[in-house]
Amino acid sequence: MTTHPSEKQSRFDPEPLPRRDFLGLFALGSMAAAFALSIFGMLKLPKAAVSASPAKKFNVALPDTLPEGEPFVPPGRNVAVFRDGEGVFAISTVCTHLGCIVKTSAAGFDCPCHGSGFQKDGTVRKGPAPTPLPWLKVSKNGSILTIDEEATVKTGTKV
Ligand code: FES
């Protein structure tokens, strides 16, 4: 409502806000709201859930009931441990083709990814795996075995 210039303005009849000022204030308000929402969104970002990878050298005790020639895969490890009449040895269960984890089977190991097969001593039974599964370094302290997943030994090395 406009007032006549000679009339005194009432406080209930304020000066109208010019359209340009209104749009400017609206733009500033929108910008502030977008900024505040983006900050809020960044605070709600998921926190990195990085856990340290387990040590590659670990101790394990073979179950007393483990039959000779049968694999024992320690939980959470990519290793199969065997006991036979000559000693104990460990074979990596990481496929030498593209790194999938092989599964133990009656014939030895089978890779679920591309069909490679390995015998119980890790030699390739069928491709496409180019090389045998590596034997890993095992040391023995009483009934405790220490297996180093990063150290390989010559095939046939038993402790
Ligand atoms: S990764 Fe095992 S056969 Fe390809």
Side-chain angles (χ1 to χ4, degrees), residues 95 97-100 111 113-116 128:
C95 184
H97 180 225
L98 292 178
C100 288
C111 184
C113 293
H114 310 104
S116 286

Side-chain angles (χ1 to χ4, degrees), residues 128-153:
T131 55
L133 296 173
W135 284 44
L136 302 174
K137 183 178 178 190
V138 179
S139 48
K140 200 171 178 182
N141 185 8
S143 62
I144 301 296
L145 303 172
T146 302
I147 299 172
D148 189 346
E149 289 184 76
E150 293 181 319
T152 58
V153 293

Side-chain angles (χ1 to χ4, degrees), residues 57-77:
K57 196 171 183 179
F58 61 96
N59 293 334
V60 67
L62 287 183
D64 292 333
T65 57
L66 183 70
E68 279 194 16
E70 288 300 312
F72 171 69
V73 179
R77 300 291 178 173

